[in-house]
Amino acid sequence: NGFTSESTEELKATMGYLKQYQVIGRKLPSEAEPEPTLLRMHIFARDKQHAVSRFWYFVSQYRKLKKTAGETVSVNEIFEKNDRIVKNFGIQLRYISRSGTHNMYKEYRDTTLCGAVEKMYAEMAGTHRARFASIQIIRTATVDAADARRASTRQFHNSKIKFPLTHVVSRASSKTYEKTFHHKRPTTFA
């Protein structure tokens, strides 16, 4: 028939491809340091392997420690507690452009933090041409309505907000009343 069913991997790629992981790693134990300090990070990645790779990339930048001299203790996926309510998320980030390094603060409305981060990556790619690898998320937080800074976020905090239907095509109640041609134009506005 010409239609093929999509595999689950293709569906995951189109719907919510980022997940939040908590990655814990440390330096390999030695006689000089039998119990090294644990390093913990929250990483947004498509899968566990990608999260571990990003973790060691950031650790090697901020600490004098490489993956060859360290070990990954645990990798856990973090799920949203309540993904049915729309929340405001603030994301503090750093990105490398063609001219230098820039710090930014962005706000998004979404039901999950992963969804807000996906929106951030899409916006950064569109407006600033920033690639995924050149963006570092420094901090994420749920922002209260009173503390929201951006006008694009605050415009939805009106309790009397309305989303009117501007173009409604009336349909026949049953197939017997359906007509191909009518003697007058339909009224599509309220």
Side-chain angles (χ1 to χ4, degrees):
N1 61 0
F3 295 104
T4 57
S5 62
E6 290 181 308
S7 67
T8 54
E9 292 304 314
E10 288 171 2
L11 283 171
K12 284 180 189 174
T14 56
M15 309 181 317
Y17 68 98
L18 281 183
K19 297 172 188 167
Q20 187 181 6
Y21 292 96
Q22 175 184 276
V23 185
I24 300 172
R26 66 177 184 172
K27 191 177 176 180
L28 282 171
S30 61
E31 288 186 17
E33 197 176 1
E35 286 192 23
T37 56
L38 294 171
L39 303 168
R40 181 176 68 105
M41 247 183 232
H42 284 204
I43 304 282
F44 293 93
R46 61 181 177 268
D47 53 24
K48 283 188 176 185
Q49 291 81 13
H50 189 224
V52 170
S53 173
R54 295 286 287 170
F55 171 79
W56 286 110
Y57 168 75
F58 290 127
V59 166
S60 65
Q61 279 189 334
Y62 299 122
R63 298 286 177 103
K64 197 176 178 183
L65 178 62
K66 292 196 296 184
K67 189 178 181 181
T68 54
E71 65 178 352
T72 307
V73 177
S74 72
V75 183
N76 301 317
E77 187 177 345
I78 298 173
F79 297 97
E80 194 76 27
K81 202 172 280 186
N82 189 354
D83 60 353
R84 295 184 309 275
I85 296 171
V86 178
K87 297 173 278 296
N88 307 315
F89 293 103
I91 302 172
Q92 191 176 350
L93 62 114
R94 175 188 300 129
Y95 83 100
I96 302 161
S97 70
R98 296 183 184 111
S99 58
T101 307
H102 312 280
N103 294 320
M104 261 187 197
Y105 173 78
K106 299 245 173 216
E107 281 181 355
Y108 299 95
R109 280 176 62 81
D110 207 299
T111 55
T112 63
L113 180 57
C114 292
V117 170
E118 284 173 24
K119 284 181 181 177
M120 182 271 300
Y121 276 116
E123 185 189 345
M124 291 299 291
T127 56
H128 301 285
R129 299 291 186 264
R131 309 290 182 266
F132 182 89
S134 64
I135 299 171
Q136 298 177 13
I137 298 172
I138 298 168
R139 188 176 294 114
T140 59
T142 306
V143 181
D144 292 330
D147 299 331
R149 297 188 217 169
R150 303 289 182 254
S152 59
T153 308
R154 282 189 282 136
Q155 69 182 349
F156 291 103
H157 295 159
N158 182 2
S159 61
K160 295 179 181 175
I161 193 168
K162 292 181 180 179
F163 299 97
L165 299 171
T166 56
H167 182 84
V168 179
V169 178
S170 59
R171 306 278 182 213
S173 58
S174 70
K175 199 141 180 83
T176 55
Y177 298 116
E178 229 174 66
K179 294 179 183 175
T180 309
F181 301 104
H182 288 277
H183 65 279
K184 63 178 182 177
R185 288 177 182 269
T187 306
T188 59
F189 54 89

